[in-house]
């Protein structure tokens, strides 16, 4: 499950147990930071934390700030300046060389449009969305927080927030057009507000074709990094929930029925590793020209090329776009030998491909690791 999915699941559990919570969100970063704007963490009144707003250096102090927001039942904006080498002025060791602004939002479970309820809408539909968070450095201003979610066919806002989605409509149109997060400033009722309009993509859906022992570490690692995992195999003895506890779905299916069992969209990736030549080939024929954004095939290059040649001889046209998303053999060249190492190579390649990165060492990267957020 994605980090956001974990946060929502733990909030719902806390709500059932009548445990109060606070949502902490990274809303602005100046300089370097482990997590970028949009990173979130849920904090319960008992100190339990889900998600992360840093590499662990901020969480201890953030817990104290979150409990204060919970006690006061109000939103709080806190700034952590990590540019000082000693960090003695805030009493924690950071060393990220940046300024991180964290918004703490008290979750009022009696309000049907509280931040977690709005964020939950992101999981309901597999379409890009915009999450708008509003805050202010004016000490006297109300920290409005997570106030608006725009989906493909609807816009949902918290009616108690003074800045409405209608005020944000031109900005959201720009975010949709550029398909990237935007940070800007808006003056409202003589108060200067900072806005984070986060372009949010659906969770990556990984189709794993095959349910052998070597598929298990791929499923487990993929779930850990936040992918939604579906495992498919024709063997009922192998495709079981007990063998793939972290997969969302485990399906027993013939190769010809696979496309009728799953929904494939632009946020779907697939890895064929059944070790059954005909099974892999039959499924590849069905998905190669779909919107599936990445397809990897386990096995030697000779096997991969033979499958492609046979498919083309049978009259299947594979256009340039489809060829670009095919990866055989699957995975980055990291010297992988064991099943776990191969799983690491596969998932690293998928991440690099989806984010249009080279997969090279960060040591040799001349640009910043994270792209700067556009400002207006």
């Amino acid at each position: 499950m994605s980090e956001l999915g974990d946060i929502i699941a733990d909030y719902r559990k806390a709500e059932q147990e009548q445990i109060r919570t606070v949502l902490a969100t990274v809303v602005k970063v100046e300089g370097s930071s482990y997590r970028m704007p949009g990173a979130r963490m849920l904090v319960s009144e008992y100190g339990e934390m889900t998600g992360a707003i840093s590499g662990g250096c901020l969480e201890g102090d953030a817990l104290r700030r979150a409990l204060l927001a919970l006690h006061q039942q109000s939103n709080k904006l806190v700034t952590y300046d990590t540019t000082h080498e000693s960090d003695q002025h805030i009493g924690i060791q950071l060393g990220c060389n940046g300024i991180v602004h964290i918004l703490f939002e008290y979750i009022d479970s009696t309000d049907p449009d509280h931040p977690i309820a709005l964020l939950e809408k992101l999981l309901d539909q597999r379409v890009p969305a915009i999450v708008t968070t509003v805050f202010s450095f004016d000490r006297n201003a109300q920290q409005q927080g997570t106030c608006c979610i725009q989906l493909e066919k609807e816009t949902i806002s918290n009616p108690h927030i003074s800045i409405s989605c209608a005020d944000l409509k031109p900005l959201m149109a720009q975010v949709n057009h550029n398909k990237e997060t935007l940070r800007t400033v808006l003056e409202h009722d003589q108060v200067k507000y900072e806005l984070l309009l986060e372009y949010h993509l659906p969770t990556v859906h990984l189709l794993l074709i095959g349910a052998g022992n070597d598929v298990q570490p791929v499923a487990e690692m993929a779930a850990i990094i936040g992918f939604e995992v579906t495992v498919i195999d024709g063997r009922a003895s192998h495709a079981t929930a007990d063998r793939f506890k972290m997969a969302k779905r485990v399906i027993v299916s013939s190769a010809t029925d696979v496309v009728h069992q799953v929904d494939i969209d632009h946020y779907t990736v697939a890895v064929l590793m059944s070790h059954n030549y005909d099974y892999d080939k039959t499924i590849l024929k069905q998905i190669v020209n779909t919107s599936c954004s990445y397809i990897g095939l386990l096995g030697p290059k000779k096997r991969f090329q033979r499958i492609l040649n046979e498919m083309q001889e049978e009259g299947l046209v594979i256009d340039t776009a489809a060829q670009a998303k095919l990866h055989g053999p699957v995975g980055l060249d990291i010297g992988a030998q064991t099943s776990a190492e191969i799983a690491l190579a596969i998932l690293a390649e998928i991440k690099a491909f989806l984010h249009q990165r080279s997969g090279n060492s960060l040591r040799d990267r001349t640009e910043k690791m994270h792209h700067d957020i556009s400002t207006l």
Side-chain angles (χ1 to χ4, degrees):
M1 187 183 292
S2 66
E3 187 174 70
L4 180 59
D6 290 339
I7 287 173
I8 291 170
D10 282 1
Y11 169 75
R12 290 304 174 195
K13 181 180 177 182
E15 183 185 37
Q16 290 177 354
E17 297 174 3
Q18 297 185 327
I19 296 173
R20 297 178 300 164
T21 56
V22 169
L23 181 67
T25 304
V26 178
V27 291
K28 186 176 181 179
V29 170
E30 300 169 70
S32 300
S33 175
Y34 187 83
R35 297 299 304 269
M36 298 302 291
R40 294 176 174 84
M41 180 176 73
L42 183 74
V43 182
S44 81
E45 62 182 302
Y46 297 116
E48 297 167 324
M49 293 180 281
T50 305
I53 53 172
S54 76
C57 51
L58 295 181
E59 273 70 3
D61 188 76
L63 171 60
R64 181 171 63 87
R65 307 284 188 153
L67 294 178
L68 178 62
L70 191 149
H71 176 71
Q72 297 180 348
Q73 297 188 13
S74 62
N75 297 347
K76 303 291 182 184
L77 182 69
V78 178
T79 296
Y80 294 95
D81 186 347
T82 73
T83 58
H84 297 270
E85 290 185 3
S86 67
D87 295 322
Q88 291 177 354
H89 63 300
I90 54 176
I92 50 179
Q93 296 301 311
L94 299 169
C96 294
N97 266 342
I99 300 173
V100 185
H101 306 278
I102 311 290
L103 180 65
F104 296 87
E105 297 179 82
Y106 169 70
I107 307 301
D108 180 1
S109 60
T110 64
D111 179 3
D113 299 302
H114 62 69
I116 300 293
L118 291 178
L119 292 170
E120 193 169 19
K121 303 295 183 182
L122 300 177
L123 303 184
D124 294 340
Q125 301 180 43
R126 290 189 58 79
V127 295
I130 299 172
V131 181
T132 302
T133 306
V134 181
F135 59 100
S136 177
F137 293 111
D138 185 335
R139 291 180 177 273
N140 298 317
Q142 176 192 7
Q143 299 297 342
Q144 309 222 7
T146 308
C147 64
C148 184
I149 304 288
Q150 185 188 69
L151 299 166
E152 187 177 48
K153 296 181 179 178
E154 63 176 331
T155 300
I156 308 155
S157 63
N158 187 327
H160 306 301
I161 303 299
S162 61
I163 296 179
S164 68
C165 285
D167 299 324
L168 305 172
K169 193 172 181 179
L171 295 170
M172 291 191 291
Q174 182 173 338
V175 172
N176 271 324
H177 180 266
N178 295 333
K179 301 186 187 310
E180 62 180 23
T181 297
L182 174 68
R183 186 169 57 82
T184 190
V185 175
L186 178 68
E187 189 167 317
H188 183 79
D189 290 341
Q190 297 183 328
V191 175
K192 185 178 179 180
Y193 288 101
E194 300 254 347
L195 278 64
L196 175 67
L197 292 97
E198 179 190 356
Y199 188 69
H200 191 281
L201 293 175
T203 301
V204 175
H205 179 204
L206 172 61
L207 295 179
L208 287 174
I209 307 303
N213 292 343
D214 59 341
V215 181
Q216 290 176 309
V218 183
E220 291 173 9
M221 288 186 193
I224 288 171
I225 64 175
F227 288 5
E228 178 184 302
V229 180
T230 298
V231 177
I232 303 174
D233 198 297
R235 300 166 294 179
S237 58
H238 287 62
T240 67
D242 285 341
R243 283 170 50 79
F244 295 93
K245 291 182 172 63
M246 297 183 73
K248 184 173 183 179
R249 296 180 67 196
V250 181
I251 300 171
V252 179
S253 174
S254 66
T256 54
D257 288 337
V258 164
V259 291
H260 304 299
Q261 302 270 12
V262 294
D263 294 323
I264 295 176
D265 56 29
H266 292 288
Y267 312 101
T268 302
V269 299
V271 180
L272 283 66
M273 47 193 310
S274 73
H275 300 279
N276 182 312
Y277 184 90
D278 291 333
Y279 196 85
D280 283 351
K281 175 186 168 183
T282 301
I283 292 176
L284 181 58
K285 288 175 65 176
Q286 298 174 69
I287 68 174
V288 67
N289 288 321
T290 66
S291 56
C292 185
S293 60
Y294 169 102
I295 302 173
L297 280 82
L298 188 70
K301 198 172 191 72
K302 185 181 292 185
R303 179 181 187 267
F304 171 64
Q305 195 59 55
R306 179 186 165 195
I307 290 177
L308 290 186
N309 291 341
E310 290 182 4
M311 287 167 49
Q312 291 172 335
E313 289 169 2
E314 292 165 9
L316 183 65
V317 177
I318 305 176
D319 61 26
T320 303
Q323 291 179 23
K325 66 186 179 185
L326 291 173
H327 297 258
V330 64
L332 294 182
D333 182 7
I334 61 171
Q337 296 290 334
T338 67
S339 294
E341 292 169 347
I342 292 169
L344 177 63
I346 290 171
L347 293 170
E349 181 179 70
I350 293 173
K351 285 290 293 182
F353 182 80
L354 294 180
H355 290 276
Q356 299 180 336
R357 294 295 184 93
S358 64
N360 294 333
S361 173
L362 287 173
R363 178 196 63 185
D364 302 323
R365 185 176 173 85
T366 57
E367 301 173 343
K368 293 174 62 176
M369 286 191 294
H370 302 291
H371 296 301
D372 290 330
I373 292 176
S374 298
T375 58
L376 181 66

